[in-house]
Amino acid sequence: MIKRELYEKVYDILEKVTPLQSDCGALCGKACCHSPDEDAGMYLFPGEEAMYSEVPPWLKIELSDFTYGNNKSVLIAICTDRCQRELRPLACRIFPLTPYMAHNGVMSIKIDPRAVPMCPLAKQFASDTLDENFVDAVVRAFRLLSKEKEIQSFVLGISRLIDEQERLLNLFISNHRGKKQRGAIRRKK
Ligand code: SF4
Ligand code: SF4
């Protein structure tokens, strides 16, 4: 079992950093905190529930449909009100970045394609648009976390979800380009 102290360390690394030096919430009306879907939430990383031995009143923790490894369940945290910033889950602290494990087992940090529909920073698909202190802190946090086998297995699981999301996004982009080109050809005739 991953110890609470590890998450305390990681929360601490990510406590003061934000995706931009300015308030990125001003770009989008804090879209990542205002999902229209009441059941939308953030997956907790394995053992992260230890940080919520007392669940704050603004948070619900439930079993999600997602499993990883040998059918291990994943908890989802759903905020029902504005959170206490110092208690926000790891997934919120690193958004719109995510750890990713390639098919060769190498882990990296990248923009999460699941963030693209809501986050203007993710739409640019380049982590160099983000504040470098933020990116460095996320890298440091996952250098610590990725020593744990359970985290490696979880990241492997979410990486295949990310692959699927990327496949759908690329399909959408090429369909959209195809429609634009067909429109241009019709106008030329
Ligand atoms: S959706 Fe992206 S730009 Fe908007 S507040 Fe969240 S991280 Fe910042
Ligand atoms: S827990 Fe806080 S940071 Fe995370 S989505 Fe909810 S309000 Fe936003």
Side-chain angles (χ1 to χ4, degrees):
M1 188 59 171
I2 299 173
K3 294 204 175 94
R4 181 185 160 110
E5 292 77 53
L6 178 58
Y7 280 105
E8 283 173 346
K9 221 181 258 176
V10 163
Y11 275 27
D12 199 42
I13 292 173
L14 295 161
E15 188 55 39
K16 298 236 160 67
V17 289
T18 47
L20 296 182
Q21 276 180 7
S22 56
D23 176 13
C24 61
L27 298 174
C28 64
K30 295 198 168 125
C32 52
C33 295
H34 294 125
S35 168
D37 177 359
E38 280 185 8
D39 294 324
M42 298 70 65
Y43 292 141
L44 291 183
F45 282 72
E48 192 184 356
E49 63 278 13
M51 297 301 283
Y52 302 101
S53 43
E54 274 177 46
V55 182
W58 48 268
L59 195 68
K60 283 193 297 184
I61 296 182
E62 297 177 353
L63 260 188
S64 75
D65 297 334
F66 176 57
T67 58
Y68 71 98
N70 196 8
N71 218 19
K72 289 181 185 152
S73 348
V74 174
L75 294 170
I76 189 165
I78 303 167
C79 54
T80 52
D81 208 340
R82 201 176 158 163
C83 69
Q84 287 158 272
R85 196 173 156 74
E86 67 282 9
L87 290 180
R88 69 201 191 285
L90 179 56
C92 300
R93 290 168 194 255
I94 65 173
F95 189 91
L97 293 176
T98 181
Y100 176 81
M101 193 180 284
H103 290 273
N104 62 6
V106 174
M107 212 194 278
S108 59
I109 299 295
K110 63 185 240 167
I111 294 268
D112 192 337
R114 295 170 299 171
V116 170
M118 75 189 84
C119 177
L121 303 176
K123 284 193 179 78
Q124 299 171 35
F125 268 107
S127 51
D128 59 5
T129 55
L130 303 174
D131 181 52
E132 75 182 74
N133 294 324
F134 170 71
V135 179
D136 285 352
V138 177
V139 169
R140 264 194 297 138
F142 278 93
R143 226 174 255 146
L144 284 180
L145 284 168
S146 63
K147 290 182 184 150
E148 301 287 335
K149 285 256 173 312
E150 210 52 41
I151 298 281
Q152 293 171 13
S153 175
F154 175 75
V155 172
L156 184 67
I158 56 168
S159 300
R160 300 300 72 85
L161 283 184
I162 287 170
D163 289 345
E164 179 56 15
Q165 179 74 18
E166 254 165 3
R167 193 186 65 77
L168 292 173
L169 266 173
N170 289 336
L171 198 66
F172 174 79
I173 291 167
S174 62
N175 282 347
H176 187 66
R177 281 201 190 121
K179 268 189 197 153
K180 266 176 120 177
Q181 276 165 0
R182 281 197 294 278
I185 290 165
R186 250 184 245 123
R187 273 196 294 278
K188 273 188 192 163
K189 279 182 183 169

